[in-house]
Amino acid sequence: MTTDGVRLVVCGASGVWDELVAADSRATPFHDWSFLRDIAARSGWRFRPLLAVADGHPVGVVPVLSLRRIPMTPPLPFPYLGPLVPSQHLRGTLSVLRRWQVRHAHLLFRAAFSPQQPPPPAESDPGLEVDVEPTYVLDLSHGDESTYLSGLHSDRRAALRRAARSGITTRPSLPGEALAVLPQVMQRSFERHDAEAPRSVTAIAEYLDERMGSDGRLIVETVLEHEQPVGLLVGVRHGDRAYGWVGGTLPESLRTGASTAAYDAVIRRALHDGVLSFDFYGHVDAGVGRFKASFGAEQQPFWTLRSSLVPRRLAVLRRRSTWRRPGGRVQ
């Protein structure tokens, strides 16, 4: 299948895939072959590792995750997982991906492009939609904890003091803690919005518990209130960047400043590990945006892609993933 000199082929070996990902500065840890294969197997998804090939040479990766029962990309809890190809081949890649989607009756394809990537080109096909969304990125290139603390807004400093008075502490998560805490936190948070947490929460918790001691990219902090776990927050490092991934605190602990303490702990660990920026990923709503900005983070745009074979007037799938819904009010 070829469009504008670009072909899509199935990648049969992880080595080629991982070499392309490692060579691209815009890659995220969620583009990793073993990560996608493992999470897909645990969640009941199918991982299709497609390569973009131009002039006979692989130039990028096009990860496709789909539900096994319904051929569509599920709402993905992975920041900026999408085609990772050079900008000069992006238009051709999206065109041939659209043809692949039609050929395989893949009803809905979702993807996101990191702030480091230029916006995907708009196409005339009415089934292809590109939207711009905000995220918040905290500059840590100064490498200094006192500089980070001085950049906190006054309400974040007040929340940290409130957390200390309320018996809130944080520490690196212990083995088994992600599986014990994360599904509970996510389920309670989704219940507050009359929604059901995705099944992949448990798969992610299992993945974290298995790799916390061996995968140096993971930053997993447990939040405790009087020594009892009330939350868990996960960050992931990749190169000189770190990403806020998944987690939160129980709704009844929000008043204590526990959410602020959780992010503060993850950011400090990233800072100590030499990370140059921390991406909070996403916006959710104005309140959550203000919360993220109050750490001193700056708003930056990123682009999301939605390619649907279902006419818009008949589509019943929400454009925004429920993974971007807030787990209650943050403070």
Side-chain angles (χ1 to χ4, degrees), residues 23 62 68 118 126:
V62 184
R68 293 186 180 274

Side-chain angles (χ1 to χ4, degrees), residues 22-38:
D24 197 315
S25 63
R26 304 163 302 172
T28 74
F30 308 103
H31 283 97
D32 180 77
W33 171 292
S34 62
F35 172 84
L36 292 171
R37 182 187 59 189
D38 194 349

Side-chain angles (χ1 to χ4, degrees), residues 29-331:
F30 308 103
H31 283 97
D32 180 77
W33 171 292
S34 62
F35 172 84
L36 292 171
R37 182 187 59 189
D38 194 349
I39 290 293
R42 293 171 183 270
S43 303
W45 300 341
R46 181 180 180 183
F47 170 40
R48 301 172 186 259
L50 303 180
L51 292 178
V53 176
D55 299 324
H57 300 284
V59 295
V61 301
V62 184
V64 177
L65 290 173
S66 60
L67 298 172
R68 293 186 180 274
R69 293 184 179 181
I70 305 173
M72 56 177 284
T73 306
L76 299 176
F78 312 135
Y80 314 128
L81 181 64
L84 198 64
V85 297
S87 56
Q88 66 268 31
H89 296 302
L90 184 54
R91 182 180 296 274
T93 299
L94 294 182
S95 296
V96 75
L97 178 61
R98 177 70 173 170
R99 292 189 180 184
W100 179 94
Q101 181 183 4
V102 172
R103 178 180 177 183
H104 290 82
H106 193 98
L107 298 181
L108 178 62
F109 176 77
R110 302 178 178 91
F113 298 82
S114 75
Q116 290 73 41
Q117 292 182 265
E123 299 287 344
S124 58
D125 190 325
L128 188 63
E129 303 174 23
V130 176
D131 292 320
V132 61
E133 298 189 32
T135 187
Y136 295 83
V137 180
L138 177 62
D139 180 17
L140 298 176
S141 61
H142 47 74
D144 180 60
E145 188 169 300
S146 62
T147 301
Y148 155 66
L149 291 173
S150 68
L152 295 176
H153 292 196
S154 59
D155 52 352
R156 283 314 106 222
R157 296 196 192 95
L160 288 175
R161 292 193 296 269
R162 185 165 66 251
R165 292 194 303 269
S166 302
I168 297 294
T169 57
T170 63
R171 57 161 170 74
S173 297
L174 303 176
E177 217 158 44
L179 189 55
V181 178
L182 185 61
Q184 179 187 13
V185 167
M186 297 304 294
Q187 185 60 46
R188 291 288 304 280
S189 297
F190 275 75
E191 285 175 355
R192 287 173 59 87
H193 293 83
D194 297 322
E196 183 177 352
R199 290 188 303 167
S200 52
V201 170
T202 300
I204 290 172
E206 293 173 346
Y207 179 90
L208 292 170
D209 271 338
E210 288 184 5
R211 287 163 173 77
M212 267 192 288
S214 58
D215 190 339
R217 299 174 300 176
L218 295 173
I219 306 173
V220 189
E221 286 282 324
T222 296
V223 185
L224 304 106
E225 184 173 355
H226 301 298
E227 303 304 320
Q228 296 300 313
V230 295
L232 185 140
L233 186 65
V234 183
V236 189
R237 291 185 293 263
H238 185 79
D240 58 7
R241 293 190 292 271
Y243 302 87
W245 182 13
V246 64
T249 56
L250 294 175
E252 55 267 31
S253 295
L254 293 173
R255 57 178 175 75
T256 64
S259 293
T260 297
Y263 273 100
D264 177 70
V266 171
I267 291 169
R268 288 188 195 225
R269 281 183 58 185
L271 179 62
H272 293 162
D273 288 341
V275 167
L276 301 184
S277 66
F278 181 86
D279 189 332
F280 286 83
Y281 182 57
H283 177 76
V284 182
D285 59 26
V288 174
R290 288 192 296 270
F291 171 80
K292 295 177 177 181
S294 65
F295 282 87
E298 293 186 359
Q299 183 174 304
Q300 293 186 13
F302 72 96
W303 291 266
T304 60
L305 173 72
R306 184 177 184 273
S307 179
S308 176
L309 302 185
V310 181
R312 185 181 303 181
R313 65 182 181 278
L314 298 179
V316 296
L317 299 169
R318 301 179 70 91
R319 182 181 305 179
R320 184 177 299 274
S321 162
T322 55
W323 277 83
R324 292 186 189 161
R325 292 184 178 277
R329 182 171 59 89
V330 292
Q331 58 180 23

